[in-house]
Amino acid sequence: MPTAESLQLTSLSVHSTALAGNRYMDPTTRRVEVILPPSYEREPSRRYPVIYVLSSFAGTGYQLLNRSPIAESLDERISRLHAQDPTLPEFITVLPDCYTALGGSQYVNSPVLGRYQDHLVHEVVPLVDAKLRTLAASAHRAVVGRSSGGIGALWLAMNHPDLFSAVASHAGDGFFRMTTPPELLKFCRRVRRYGGPEGALKTWLDAGKGPRPGELFDVMTIFASGAAYSPDPTLPLGFALPVNWHDATIDEAVFARWLRYDPVEICDEEPYRQALAKLNLIFIDAGTRDEYYLDMAARKLVSRLRSLSIPVVHEEFDDGHMNTNYRFDRSLPALARAIAG
């Protein structure tokens, strides 16, 4: 096998107005990590397509570059992919930082968390195109993510076909009608131990970078989704919950707001259907043992897209939800070929 060539890493800084005034005083200056392709320094007149990689819940871009003796960082993975397949088109990889105090942003605009969709579309993409030698057109941009990053990637592609022409979602959130109720039951049980949602949220926020109860991770996914999908700055939490935590009664009005962000619910509506139909590639996968049943969400979305005559690549694999970054081995080459110059 050819020897893997080290890729160059660089970092950009964006001073965001879209994130200003967020409830949790999350920083408005963000690092944008970038992986440059093998030939970037050798060929100074060459321009490259770009793949934007959105992190999963409780993660951020720079974590994908962490070094480990037993696991590949994303740049090491891309370097190996190029070494294994010399025909693989080269691309720039962009890793935004969209972490929030609640663990994530879901990559949408929220008056509580900040306007993360606008941050990416109007701040990060223009910065990357201004600072790096990109092929600055939608035909040469793709977006991919895992879990929360997967639904975020779909959301951006569905709303901005002017920016992206290919998308991949690894175990992306979705099919809320079926996958969310089990999480809400779990949520109700767990927040009782803290005297209710406000106590659970305070425990999480007070922990800072210190240790925190592991059981709060899934609780925070509900909080972050609420802040993203059903914000209400007039409420004590800053957002409405889709469930009464005392007896697990669903609040249908709030849950209806969440459904407006579910790709399964809205993919057949305009302008989303037209945006999806324009994409050069839609890649969707999930593990058949996914603990959040997101393999069923993937199947449901794929079924709906195919009923609309929208082509989609669908794969399943024998694994759960966690520690599946190896699936980038499937999506990144496919995206690179879909957006190659």
Side-chain angles (χ1 to χ4, degrees), residues 269-280:
E269 301 176 12
E270 299 298 355
Y272 307 120
R273 185 201 61 78
Q274 185 177 8
L276 289 163
K278 288 176 59 178
L279 295 172
N280 294 332

Side-chain angles (χ1 to χ4, degrees), residues 79-154:
S79 182
R80 173 179 54 78
L81 291 173
H82 280 297
Q84 290 174 336
D85 182 2
T87 71
L88 179 63
E90 293 189 13
F91 54 94
I92 294 170
T93 310
V94 178
L95 310 175
D97 172 15
C98 293
Y99 184 80
T100 74
L102 301 192
S105 67
Q106 299 300 96
Y107 303 95
V108 304
N109 289 335
S110 164
V112 176
L113 295 174
R115 292 183 288 112
Y116 281 87
Q117 179 180 339
D118 288 349
H119 170 60
L120 290 168
V121 168
H122 299 304
E123 296 176 336
V124 174
V125 171
L127 176 70
V128 168
D129 287 340
K131 295 293 186 179
L132 301 172
R133 299 197 311 274
T134 68
L135 290 167
S138 61
H140 306 296
R141 286 194 205 95
V143 60
V144 57
R146 194 180 71 81
S147 193
S148 291
I151 191 175
L154 286 167

Side-chain angles (χ1 to χ4, degrees), residues 7 14 36 47 58 276-277 309 331 340:
L7 279 67
V14 55
L36 297 173
R47 293 187 172 271
L276 289 163
S309 300
S331 62

Side-chain angles (χ1 to χ4, degrees), residues 186-202:
K186 186 191 306 180
F187 172 86
C188 292
R189 277 186 174 172
R190 292 184 179 180
V191 299
R192 286 203 308 251
R193 301 169 194 170
Y194 300 87
E198 291 179 49
L201 179 58
K202 184 177 186 302

Side-chain angles (χ1 to χ4, degrees), residues 22-257:
N22 68 81
R23 183 184 180 99
Y24 301 101
M25 294 182 287
D26 287 323
T28 56
T29 297
R30 299 295 177 108
R31 286 168 50 190
V32 181
E33 303 300 334
V34 178
I35 305 170
L36 297 173
S39 68
Y40 193 86
E41 292 301 318
R42 296 196 311 268
E43 301 182 33
S45 62
R46 183 174 173 183
R47 293 187 172 271
Y48 299 85
V50 184
I51 299 178
Y52 287 79
V53 180
L54 307 185
S55 300
S56 55
F57 184 76
T60 190
Y62 53 79
Q63 289 179 298
L64 293 171
L65 302 176
N66 288 349
R67 264 37 187 177
S68 167
I70 58 173
E72 285 181 312
S73 62
L74 188 60
D75 59 309
E76 291 170 334
R77 182 178 304 279
I78 294 171
S79 182
R80 173 179 54 78
L81 291 173
H82 280 297
Q84 290 174 336
D85 182 2
T87 71
L88 179 63
E90 293 189 13
F91 54 94
I92 294 170
T93 310
V94 178
L95 310 175
D97 172 15
C98 293
Y99 184 80
T100 74
L102 301 192
S105 67
Q106 299 300 96
Y107 303 95
V108 304
N109 289 335
S110 164
V112 176
L113 295 174
R115 292 183 288 112
Y116 281 87
Q117 179 180 339
D118 288 349
H119 170 60
L120 290 168
V121 168
H122 299 304
E123 296 176 336
V124 174
V125 171
L127 176 70
V128 168
D129 287 340
K131 295 293 186 179
L132 301 172
R133 299 197 311 274
T134 68
L135 290 167
S138 61
H140 306 296
R141 286 194 205 95
V143 60
V144 57
R146 194 180 71 81
S147 193
S148 291
I151 191 175
L154 286 167
W155 180 254
L156 290 176
M158 292 167 70
N159 282 275
H160 296 282
D162 55 320
L163 286 183
F164 302 102
S165 63
V167 64
S169 173
H170 296 292
D173 303 352
F175 199 15
F176 293 170
R177 291 182 188 273
M178 293 300 291
T179 61
T180 302
E183 295 307 303
L184 294 179
L185 290 173
K186 186 191 306 180
F187 172 86
C188 292
R189 277 186 174 172
R190 292 184 179 180
V191 299
R192 286 203 308 251
R193 301 169 194 170
Y194 300 87
E198 291 179 49
L201 179 58
K202 184 177 186 302
T203 300
W204 175 275
L205 295 175
D206 287 350
K209 289 191 175 183
R212 67 193 71 214
E215 67 178 4
L216 284 181
F217 181 88
D218 288 340
V219 168
M220 294 310 301
T221 65
I222 300 300
F223 283 151
S225 295
Y229 302 147
S230 51
D232 187 341
T234 68
L235 296 178
L237 288 171
F239 49 89
L241 290 169
V243 66
N244 182 318
W245 65 274
H246 292 282
D247 62 6
T249 300
I250 297 293
D251 186 321
E252 298 292 348
V254 175
F255 194 55
R257 295 175 65 186

